[in-house]
């Protein structure tokens, strides 16, 4: 699809976006201006001005709903079961970014129970052992860098 | 209970229920910034003539509910629910990768609930302590604000660049204000806040108009979102935040809520980052650090919003905090209902219309209702709600709604001139945000430096 662009952290079709904005702004601004005019004509300036704002906001919502019906989301929702990487690979990636996730046996009782309930205990423990075994090598490496 | 109080209480209950339901829903939609959604709707509630009790309950219930449900897109989808959800994104994404996003969600919102319980009494207490010093705070405000603005800018992603860019941003605001005063003999507020809050959106829309920008924004195909699988929650039917969090997390959540109930001049995003760093640096185990930081950061979004609203309202009456300057601005100044004359220092707003006891009563009503509605809903329906939003609500519809909201509110505040102000502030602010990492929190501080500090410097 040639018209897909990223706006405000998600994907939209630029033609659909232009159309949606035209619809919503058109409805909302018209609703506000007409309401404001009618309230002013009826002699209610102060309060009428705020009621006109209410009509304008209702117009925004109506415009957004119409846009939503006309143009469907440009997202593909996948479930991570399609992720074929092993748990250890994922943990390794996280460790690289965040630092060692630590020995789950050092955690307080209640937290240990939580980690076990999540089924993460063995994976974290295995990863920790792996890191401890590696430690000698990596310590020397940092020494050389300094 | 006297009969006089019955009617305000009923207003508070009714408006809190309305706000909690409405903003639990809005919080599920990613990108719906607090200032751009809460401020205009609170303004509308005020202008429609809802009594003060209903207004304060509406506002507090709205932010509490929104900060509970904003954790849903943040933890389950890896996209921030709103501006204050950005700081917890990294921990949320990592926990999601580990396959336990539901844990991140439950920890985050349970932290939020506990922060609300702590922040309400503490911020009221703190406001009482500060009330005798209201005048000296007011006179020191220009200097406190500029110092806080520089600090917040420096701790943002932009570092020194954001501090230097603050000068340009402040001068832009000062210049626009002077021009508005010259042309209309009035000042605008909402147009500026709306511009800052929706800056990244306005910037993107302009970039999309230019051929070069469109080229850079082009996407090859539809964007993929991996929705984490639903995991049934163990334990009782009614969720209890005190059992969801462990003792360490309870301690850090309480501590950060206490601290952020007092530091009301810093932006909530900055405080959420800072509190998370402090808690994280003290926890040795990496996995425990992940869950605790997510908890503390979301808790901070609740406590800062409550404290930064209640303290200036109760103690001072002027919007001397980033939240009061942003989403809570209508509670201080919503002409013709609530008025504020910054130069003379005279006010007629919630500060004058409610006693401290009434603030406490309505805040508790709002908090209880928002928690009772939002917390169990999110704990049990998060997955279904997130799936529905992602599959059914197109991003076009959200952007179109925001574009219309910007137009209507600007026309309401000051016609085409106000619309021009919002576009100018939004375009420059969005550019600074995207290109040099000067987030909306820094820019709100910049607004108050322009309004408070610049006149004080020029008067030296």
């Amino acid at each position: 699809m040639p018209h897909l662009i990223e706006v405000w952290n998600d994907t939209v079709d630029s033609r659909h976006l232009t159309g949606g904005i035209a619809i919503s702004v058109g409805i909302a601004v018209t609703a506000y201006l007409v309401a404001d005019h009618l309230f002013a004509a009826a002699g209610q300036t102060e309060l009428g001005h705020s009621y006109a704002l209410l009509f304008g906001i209702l117009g925004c919502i109506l415009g957004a709903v119409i846009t939503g019906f006309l143009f469907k989301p440009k997202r593909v929702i996948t479930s991570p079961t399609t992720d074929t990487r092993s748990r250890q690979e994922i943990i390794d990636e996280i460790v690289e970014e965040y630092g060692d996730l630590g020995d789950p046996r050092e955690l307080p009782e209640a937290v240990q129970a939580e980690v076990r309930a999540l089924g993460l205990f063995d994976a974290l423990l295995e990863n920790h052992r792996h890191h401890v075994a590696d430690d000698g090598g990596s310590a020397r490496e940092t020494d050389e860098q300094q | 209970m006297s009969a006089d109080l019955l009617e305000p209480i009923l207003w508070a209950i009714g408006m809190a229920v309305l706000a909690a339901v409405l903003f639990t829903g809005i919080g599920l939609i990613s990108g719906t910034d607090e200032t751009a959604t809460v401020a205009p709707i609170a303004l509308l509630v005020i202008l429609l003539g809802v009594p003060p009790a209903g207004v304060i309950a509406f506002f507090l219930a709205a932010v509490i509910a929104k900060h509970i449900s904003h954790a849903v897109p943040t933890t389950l989808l890896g996209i921030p629910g709103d501006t204050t959800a950005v700081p917890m994104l990294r921990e949320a994404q990592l926990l999601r990768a580990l396959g336990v996003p539901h844990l991140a969600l439950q920890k985050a919102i349970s932290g939020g609930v506990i922060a609300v319980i702590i922040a309400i009494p503490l911020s009221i207490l703190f406001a009482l302590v500060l009330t005798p010093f209201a005048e000296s705070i007011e006179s020191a405000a220009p200097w406190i604000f500029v110092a806080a603005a520089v600090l917040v800018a420096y701790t943002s992603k932009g570092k020194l660049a954001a501090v230097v860019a603050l000068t340009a941003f402040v001068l832009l605001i000062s210049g626009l204000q002077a021009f508005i005063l010259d042309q209309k003999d009035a000042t605008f507020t909402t147009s500026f806040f709306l511009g800052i809050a929706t800056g990244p959106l306005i910037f993107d829309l302009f970039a999309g108009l230019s051929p070069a920008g469109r080229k850079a924004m082009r996407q090859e195909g539809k964007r993929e979102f991996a929705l984490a699988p639903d995991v049934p929650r163990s334990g009782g039917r009614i969720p209890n935040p005190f059992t969801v969090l462990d003792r360490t997390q309870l301690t850090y959540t309480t501590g950060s809520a206490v601290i952020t109930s007092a530091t009301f001049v810093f932006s909530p995003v900055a405080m959420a980052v800072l509190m998370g760093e402090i808690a994280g640096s003290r926890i040795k185990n990496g996995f425990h650090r992940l869950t605790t930081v997510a908890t503390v950061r979301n808790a901070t979004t609740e406590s800062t919003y409550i404290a930064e609203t209640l303290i200036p309202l109760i103690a001072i009456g002027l919007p001397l905090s980033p939240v009061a300057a942003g989403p809570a601005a209508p509670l201080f100044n919503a002409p013709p209902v609530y008025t504020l004359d910054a130069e003379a220092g005279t006010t007629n707003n919630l500060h004058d219309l409610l006693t401290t006891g009434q603030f406490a009563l309505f805040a508790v009503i709002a908090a209880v209702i928002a928690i009772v509605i939002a917390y169990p809903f999110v704990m049990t329906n998060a997955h279904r709600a997130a799936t529905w939003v992602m599959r059914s609500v197109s991003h076009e519809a959200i952007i179109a709604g925001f574009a219309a909201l910007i137009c209507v509110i600007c026309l309401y505040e000051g016609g085409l001139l106000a619309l021009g102000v919002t576009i100018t502030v939004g375009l420059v602010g969005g550019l600074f945000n995207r290109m040099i990492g000067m987030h909306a929190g820094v820019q709100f501080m910049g607004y108050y430096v322009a309004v408070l500090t610049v006149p004080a410097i020029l008067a030296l």
Side-chain angles (χ1 to χ4, degrees):
Chain A
M1 266 185 269
H3 298 284
L4 291 184
I5 57 170
E6 186 176 330
V7 178
W8 218 25
N9 311 320
D10 202 351
T11 306
V12 293
D13 184 313
S14 57
R15 292 165 310 167
H16 290 178
L17 182 63
T18 314
I21 291 176
I23 293 168
S24 299
V25 171
I27 294 175
V29 169
T30 311
Y32 168 74
L33 290 178
V34 169
D36 199 32
H37 184 76
L38 290 180
F39 281 116
Q44 286 192 312
T45 39
E46 291 276 292
L47 198 62
H49 208 44
S50 8
Y51 275 111
L53 179 61
L54 177 64
F55 279 95
I57 290 182
L58 290 176
C60 296
I61 296 168
L62 181 67
V65 170
I66 293 174
T67 308
F69 273 110
L70 286 178
F71 309 123
K72 293 300 159 203
K74 278 80 190 168
R75 305 184 186 103
V76 179
I77 312 292
T78 58
S79 63
T81 43
T82 50
D83 200 338
T84 49
R85 293 177 304 162
S86 77
R87 181 151 251 182
Q88 285 302 328
E89 276 176 64
I90 295 171
I91 295 180
D92 277 334
E93 252 182 57
I94 292 173
V95 167
E96 202 168 299
E97 195 197 318
Y98 194 75
D100 194 1
L101 287 183
D103 187 345
R105 289 169 302 184
E106 283 173 4
L107 289 166
E109 287 283 315
V111 188
Q112 270 196 42
E114 185 182 280
V115 178
R116 278 180 210 278
L118 293 166
L120 279 176
F121 192 89
D122 292 335
L124 286 176
L125 186 60
E126 191 188 324
N127 197 270
H128 177 70
R129 287 202 172 120
H130 189 70
H131 273 264
V132 172
D134 269 3
D135 234 18
S138 59
R140 220 171 301 129
E141 228 166 73
T142 42
D143 278 352
E144 277 166 19
Q145 277 167 4
Q146 285 167 354
Chain B
M1 193 196 308
S2 72
D4 290 352
L5 212 51
L6 188 66
E7 202 192 316
I9 288 175
L10 290 178
W11 268 108
I13 294 172
M15 295 310 289
V17 170
L18 179 68
V21 172
L22 189 64
F23 281 92
T24 302
I26 294 177
L28 295 173
I29 302 167
S30 63
T32 48
D33 179 89
E34 295 95 337
T35 309
T37 53
V38 181
I41 300 177
L43 178 68
L44 184 65
V45 164
I46 294 165
L47 294 175
L48 291 179
V50 171
V55 170
I56 185 73
F58 182 90
F59 181 84
L60 289 174
V63 297
I64 294 169
K66 189 176 197 310
H67 285 167
I68 289 175
S69 67
H70 79 173
V72 175
T74 315
T75 55
L76 299 191
L77 294 157
I79 41 176
D82 53 36
T83 313
T84 47
V86 173
M88 62 167 170
L89 195 60
R90 182 163 171 247
E91 278 72 24
Q93 279 170 337
L94 296 177
L95 285 165
R96 211 172 94 141
L98 273 178
V100 290
H102 54 298
L103 179 81
L105 175 69
Q106 291 172 2
K107 294 274 182 191
I109 66 173
S110 301
V113 168
I114 288 171
V116 171
I117 296 170
I118 293 163
I120 286 182
L122 263 184
S123 52
I124 291 170
L125 190 74
F126 197 66
L128 285 177
V129 173
L130 283 178
T131 304
F133 308 103
E135 266 179 42
S136 32
I137 294 173
E138 222 184 294
S139 55
W143 316 112
I144 299 175
F145 254 85
V146 72
V150 169
L151 195 65
V152 171
Y154 190 75
T155 51
S156 76
K157 242 192 302 180
K159 298 273 169 211
L160 208 56
V163 177
V164 179
L166 200 56
T167 318
F169 195 74
V170 167
L171 281 179
L172 173 77
I173 307 248
S174 305
L176 283 172
Q177 288 282 28
F179 181 67
I180 296 163
L181 196 65
D182 193 41
Q183 295 296 315
K184 292 237 166 189
D185 201 25
T187 48
F188 293 168
T189 45
T190 319
S191 313
F192 284 95
F193 301 139
L194 208 55
I196 293 171
T198 57
L201 170 64
I202 292 175
F203 175 75
D204 278 359
L205 290 179
F206 270 81
L209 278 180
S210 91
R214 204 159 45 234
K215 212 170 172 185
M217 294 159 85
R218 184 157 295 157
Q219 295 274 299
E220 279 310 311
K222 291 185 177 183
R223 184 151 162 197
E224 278 193 28
F225 287 94
L227 184 65
D230 197 10
V231 180
R233 195 172 52 88
S234 54
R237 233 161 52 87
I238 297 169
N240 175 358
F242 290 94
T243 54
V244 176
L245 301 181
D246 61 59
R247 201 179 299 159
T248 320
Q249 288 159 350
L250 280 174
T251 312
Y252 283 115
T253 304
T254 311
S256 66
V258 171
I259 295 170
T260 51
S261 293
T263 51
F264 65 101
V265 292
F266 293 99
S267 81
V269 173
M271 286 318 277
V273 172
L274 190 66
M275 290 299 125
E277 291 299 318
I278 292 175
S281 67
R282 291 163 162 271
I283 294 173
K284 262 182 74 183
N285 186 279
F287 177 78
H288 199 207
R289 194 186 312 138
L290 274 175
T291 55
T292 309
V293 171
T295 309
V296 169
R297 290 212 163 126
N298 197 51
T300 310
T301 70
E302 292 281 22
S303 52
T304 47
Y305 261 67
I306 291 170
E308 296 199 5
T309 306
L310 287 179
I311 292 172
L313 269 181
I314 295 173
I316 311 163
L318 298 174
L320 295 180
S321 80
V323 173
L331 309 185
F332 295 86
N333 191 19
V337 184
Y338 300 154
T339 54
L340 168 72
D341 185 346
E343 268 166 45
T346 53
T347 59
N348 174 40
N349 54 32
L350 287 186
H351 172 68
D352 312 279
L353 299 170
L354 294 171
T355 64
T356 308
Q358 287 170 332
F359 270 116
L361 175 67
F362 303 135
V364 169
I365 290 175
V368 169
I369 289 174
I371 290 172
V372 164
I373 290 177
Y375 184 67
F377 173 81
V378 172
M379 286 296 266
T380 48
N381 296 301
H383 197 267
R384 233 170 306 156
T387 312
W388 184 83
V389 169
M390 290 307 283
R391 287 195 200 282
S392 323
V393 181
S394 69
H395 201 49
E396 284 91 338
I398 296 169
I399 295 176
F402 263 99
L405 189 69
I406 293 170
C407 293
V408 168
I409 291 187
C410 288
L411 290 177
Y412 170 83
E413 188 175 43
L416 289 174
L417 180 57
L419 188 58
V421 166
T422 300
I423 291 173
T424 309
V425 172
L427 187 55
V428 176
L431 176 77
F432 282 10
N433 196 331
R434 286 272 147 87
M435 300 297 161
I436 46 184
M438 179 184 179
H439 59 68
V442 183
Q443 297 174 14
F444 280 121
M445 302 297 284
Y447 173 84
Y448 260 76
V449 170
V451 173
L452 288 170
T453 319
V454 170
I457 291 175
L458 294 179
L460 283 180

